Amino acid sequence: MANRTDPAAKSIRGTNPQNLVEKIVRSKIYQNTYWKEQCFGLTAETLVDKAMELDHIGGTYGGNRKPTPFMCLVMKMLQIQPEKDIVVEFIKNDDYKYVRVLGAFYLRLTGIDSDIYRYLEPLYNDYRKVRRKSPDGNFMLTHVDEVIDELLTRDYSCDIALPRIKKRWTLESLGVLDARKSVLEDDFEEEEEKDEMEQDGLEEEVAHEKDYYRARSPARERERDWRRDSHRHRDRDYDRDRDYDRERGRGRDRERDRDRDRDSDKDRYRLREEKEYGYERERDREREGRERDRRDRERGRRRSRSRSRSRERKRHGRSSMSPRRHEAEDGNAPEESKKKGKKEKKEKKEKKDDGTDHPDPEIAEANRIRASLGLKPLKL
């Protein structure tokens, strides 16, 4: 029963007045504690006291979309449907700004187009500050004239879809509304009168000067004025062309300098890269040469060690031989001595041929390296 519309209330725009609020918002209002405790049993007279206690406006806020007291009072006005005179008194109240905004919001929902423009447009001159609760629950500062502009120009306000209204110029063309008159129109008229008076004085002075010059050979004065104007225009055109040519020349010089700097930077960068690449390539070549020489020396040392080890091994093998074997080998000694002599001669000849027995140690080392590489010895 507490949520039903007054039986004496009239339908607005062909529907129940409470249906102007969406069903979800309406159900949130019915479940709110402020609606149940503060709005129960209110009448048009007692509603004024609750409206005077308002300290902010807004729709719903928070994660569960809790309605504000302002929204609950708007819903209560739709339920009890106060008379038009009471709503107009709400709007004309200068002492309580939130009462004025409450009446303007209700009139925007339920009033006809002509009444909306007639009663809300004068509120554009109210610049008082009002607090508004945003959907995230924080307060923001706005003004009464901004709220009125939102009601007249927007389709949605405080989470409620506003009914559509005709444009003002349509009502003016139909003769329902007079042309809008600004509060500053009187000031504008005074400014226009002053401008007209000053312009009249200037016209009189110009007419007096014309008469004076007309008395002094008007044809000559006219010719002089024409020449002066032609020279002035010619000088102005010449200065403009000269400035344009100068600016264009500066732009070309600037572009040329920029291109030159860019080319010089590219050349410098390329030379630096080539130099660094050449240095790196030379270093790599020297490193490879040193590695090659080191490998050759190591290879020569390993070969010399293996030869000395094989000779020592043969020498130890003959000394550790058994007597019988020694006697048997003594029988073959002449043949072995012959073979050994031939082998030594051959080794001497190879040594002489490969140049490793050269008296100069550097040349002998170089011949040894060349022999390991399969090259001919140095002949010095």
Side-chain angles (χ1 to χ4, degrees):
M1 295 292 293
N3 298 334
R4 287 186 179 181
T5 308
D6 189 357
K10 299 178 181 179
S11 61
I12 298 174
R13 302 181 190 276
T15 183
N16 189 344
Q18 293 193 76
N19 292 340
L20 296 175
V21 181
E22 286 83 352
K23 181 175 178 56
I24 297 176
V25 180
R26 195 164 63 242
S27 61
K28 294 288 184 183
I29 293 173
Y30 292 157
Q31 297 171 6
N32 191 17
T33 306
Y34 184 87
W35 170 265
K36 295 178 180 178
E37 295 180 357
Q38 305 296 329
C39 297
F40 179 78
L42 287 180
T43 61
E45 291 78 10
T46 57
L47 182 68
V48 180
D49 299 332
K50 296 296 180 183
M52 292 169 60
E53 296 175 359
L54 289 175
D55 58 353
H56 65 278
I57 63 173
T60 57
Y61 65 94
N64 56 355
R65 312 311 299 167
K66 184 178 180 181
T68 59
F70 177 83
M71 204 73 255
C72 295
L73 291 181
V74 171
M75 191 68 183
K76 193 64 181 180
M77 291 181 72
L78 292 173
Q79 184 180 16
I80 64 178
Q81 201 177 57
E83 297 180 359
K84 181 180 177 181
D85 297 338
I86 298 176
V87 178
V88 172
E89 290 298 326
F90 275 27
I91 296 173
K92 292 182 178 180
N93 192 333
D94 295 331
D95 298 331
Y96 298 95
K97 52 191 175 182
Y98 293 105
V99 175
R100 169 173 282 185
V101 175
L102 180 64
F105 197 91
Y106 176 77
L107 183 64
R108 176 65 179 84
L109 290 174
T110 61
I112 59 177
D113 299 346
S114 58
D115 289 343
I116 291 172
Y117 284 107
R118 186 178 296 113
Y119 291 111
L120 296 191
E121 281 184 346
L123 302 184
Y124 274 129
N125 300 318
D126 192 350
Y127 306 117
R128 287 180 293 181
K129 299 177 181 178
V130 292
R131 292 200 308 169
R132 184 168 189 168
K133 182 168 282 191
S134 58
D136 57 358
N138 297 324
F139 287 99
M140 55 185 295
L141 193 64
T142 184
H143 300 80
V144 176
D145 59 327
E146 294 178 356
V147 177
I148 299 302
D149 184 71
E150 180 179 340
L151 293 176
L152 292 177
T153 58
R154 304 283 182 84
D155 297 332
Y156 213 80
S157 180
C158 295
D159 297 330
I160 293 180
L162 302 176
R164 292 186 178 275
I165 57 176
K166 296 183 179 68
K167 300 296 182 182
R168 180 179 176 81
W169 62 269
T170 304
L171 298 177
E172 290 179 2
S173 62
L174 295 174
V176 179
L177 285 178
D178 297 333
R180 183 178 177 183
K181 184 178 180 181
S182 175
V183 180
L184 303 176
E185 189 171 355
D186 297 335
D187 297 336
F188 290 149
E189 290 179 356
E190 292 178 0
E191 291 293 336
E192 289 178 357
E193 291 178 358
K194 290 180 180 179
D195 294 339
E196 289 178 357
M197 292 175 63
E198 291 177 358
Q199 190 171 2
D200 293 340
L202 291 175
E203 288 178 357
E204 291 178 358
E205 292 179 0
V206 170
H208 179 69
E209 289 179 357
K210 284 183 178 180
D211 295 338
Y212 175 74
Y213 285 116
R214 190 178 294 114
R216 299 176 50 198
S217 177
R220 189 175 300 168
E221 292 295 333
R222 192 161 47 249
E223 184 179 359
R224 189 182 299 124
D225 293 340
W226 179 79
R227 287 180 180 176
R228 190 187 305 113
D229 293 339
S230 63
H231 286 303
R232 190 184 300 114
H233 289 301
R234 192 183 303 115
D235 295 339
R236 191 182 303 155
D237 295 339
Y238 175 73
D239 294 339
R240 191 187 303 113
D241 295 339
R242 184 177 57 190
D243 294 340
Y244 177 73
D245 294 338
R246 189 183 298 113
E247 290 296 330
R248 186 168 59 180
R250 289 177 183 172
R252 290 176 181 172
D253 295 339
R254 201 177 296 115
E255 291 179 0
R256 195 181 301 113
D257 295 339
R258 196 182 298 116
D259 295 338
R260 192 183 301 113
D261 295 339
R262 193 182 299 113
D263 294 337
S264 62
D265 293 339
K266 287 182 180 178
D267 295 338
R268 195 180 304 112
Y269 184 71
R270 185 173 61 255
L271 290 174
R272 189 188 303 136
E273 283 189 345
E274 291 178 356
K275 190 182 293 183
E276 291 178 356
Y277 179 71
Y279 288 158
E280 291 179 357
R281 188 167 53 185
E282 189 68 26
R283 275 192 239 105
D284 294 340
R285 194 180 295 114
E286 293 177 358
R287 194 182 300 112
E288 290 177 359
R290 287 196 296 270
E291 290 292 332
R292 194 184 302 111
D293 296 340
R294 186 179 59 78
R295 286 196 298 270
D296 294 340
R297 286 196 296 273
E298 289 293 332
R299 194 181 294 113
R301 291 196 190 107
R302 284 197 297 272
R303 286 184 178 179
S304 61
R305 288 197 201 98
S306 62
R307 288 174 184 172
S308 60
R309 286 173 185 169
S310 61
R311 288 180 191 143
E312 289 177 0
R313 212 177 282 119
K314 288 178 181 180
R315 192 180 302 114
H316 287 299
R318 287 183 62 85
S319 60
S320 60
M321 198 178 297
S322 62
R324 292 181 180 178
R325 189 173 178 182
H326 187 70
E327 289 176 0
E329 285 185 355
D330 287 342
N332 300 327
E335 294 180 0
E336 289 181 358
S337 62
K338 289 179 183 180
K339 291 181 182 179
K340 190 175 182 180
K342 290 180 181 180
K343 190 173 182 181
E344 288 177 356
K345 288 180 181 179
K346 189 175 182 180
E347 287 178 357
K348 287 180 180 180
K349 187 175 181 181
E350 287 179 356
K351 284 183 179 181
K352 289 179 182 179
D353 291 340
D354 60 8
T356 55
D357 56 349
H358 198 278
D360 192 351
E362 294 181 357
I363 296 174
E365 182 67 21
N367 288 333
R368 191 179 298 109
I369 293 170
R370 291 177 68 87
S372 63
L373 296 174
L375 302 176
K376 292 181 179 182
L378 298 173
K379 295 181 178 181
L380 299 173

